[in-house]
Amino acid sequence: QNCPIGWMGEEEGESFVGRIWTYMHSGTMHINDKHLAIYARSSARVDKMGWLHKRGYVNTAFKERWFVLKGNLLFYFKDQDYTTRDPIGVLVLENCAIHLGQPSSPDFHTILIRFEGDPRVHELGSKSEVDILGWMETLVQSNHVALRIAIAELRQRLATAEACAASSSPTTTLTPAPAP
């Protein structure tokens, strides 16, 4: 079965197996779910992890989930034991807009994730404004577009630094000897 664009999760009661695909610029990209589950449990570098609340689609109450971000893949689990259990869902953070939500109360802050072509909004929340701002910053920087922009900026800085170094380096000017 197909799952909504950029999203795979527990809401429809199906297993993790066979429910992942995401919309990419060239069309639909299928991801091998078994390999993705292995990657979620692996010792690969974790960019960020922690507890967040996630609003469901069928049951719209917020449920606390353990989130693990690896690259542009935001996995979520029922508990912190992510190295031995399959995730119950994953968000592939490409072709999406990530925004801070309006606080529903002074002590609950949210992040809204909207995928291109998907009318649903994925809502993650925390009681800590500091935590939600940290997650927001990390999530925004996790997709390939952000990385491409960062690389372009670094290339520009390098070119500027190299030009500065070349123009300020001591040069020896040779003057021709007078003709006899």
Side-chain angles (χ1 to χ4, degrees):
Q1 291 230 351
N2 292 334
C3 66
I5 296 168
W7 170 85
M8 192 296 307
E10 64 190 310
E11 278 71 322
E12 295 179 21
E14 293 186 24
S15 70
F16 183 75
V17 177
R19 298 200 53 230
I20 300 176
W21 59 288
T22 185
Y23 181 81
M24 300 301 283
H25 291 297
S26 61
T28 301
M29 180 180 76
H30 293 272
I31 300 172
N32 183 308
D33 56 324
K34 290 181 184 177
H35 290 161
L36 193 61
I38 290 168
Y39 179 66
R41 295 187 309 264
S42 77
S43 61
R45 186 181 76 132
V46 171
D47 298 302
K48 190 166 183 73
M49 66 178 143
W51 290 106
L52 289 172
H53 294 84
K54 179 186 173 298
R55 186 185 298 270
Y57 297 108
V58 176
N59 178 359
T60 59
F62 278 98
K63 292 182 183 175
E64 191 172 48
R65 299 292 183 222
W66 182 254
F67 282 81
V68 176
L69 178 66
K70 293 183 175 187
N72 65 348
L73 301 173
L74 182 60
F75 298 98
Y76 54 98
F77 301 82
K78 285 191 179 184
D79 56 41
Q80 286 180 278
D81 190 16
Y82 73 92
T83 60
T84 61
R85 298 184 186 193
D86 284 351
I88 56 174
V90 63
L91 294 172
V92 182
L93 299 174
E94 296 299 338
N95 296 322
C96 63
I98 303 171
H99 304 281
L100 287 175
Q102 294 295 323
S104 56
S105 69
D107 60 343
F108 195 75
H109 309 275
T110 60
I111 295 171
L112 306 175
I113 303 173
R114 289 184 174 93
F115 289 93
E116 186 177 299
D118 186 354
R120 292 184 278 186
V121 176
H122 304 270
E123 192 171 3
L124 309 177
S126 174
K127 292 179 181 177
S128 166
E129 183 178 16
V130 171
D131 284 351
I132 213 69
L133 291 174
W135 274 101
M136 175 75 184
E137 181 179 354
T138 304
L139 294 175
V140 166
Q141 296 173 3
S142 68
N143 70 48
H144 78 279
V145 173
L147 293 175
R148 198 177 299 154
I149 291 168
I151 289 169
E153 288 174 357
L154 289 172
R155 284 184 178 148
Q156 181 61 42
R157 285 186 195 172
L158 179 60
T160 303
E162 287 174 341
C164 247
S167 68
S168 66
S169 66
T171 58
T172 306
T173 306
L174 299 174
T175 54

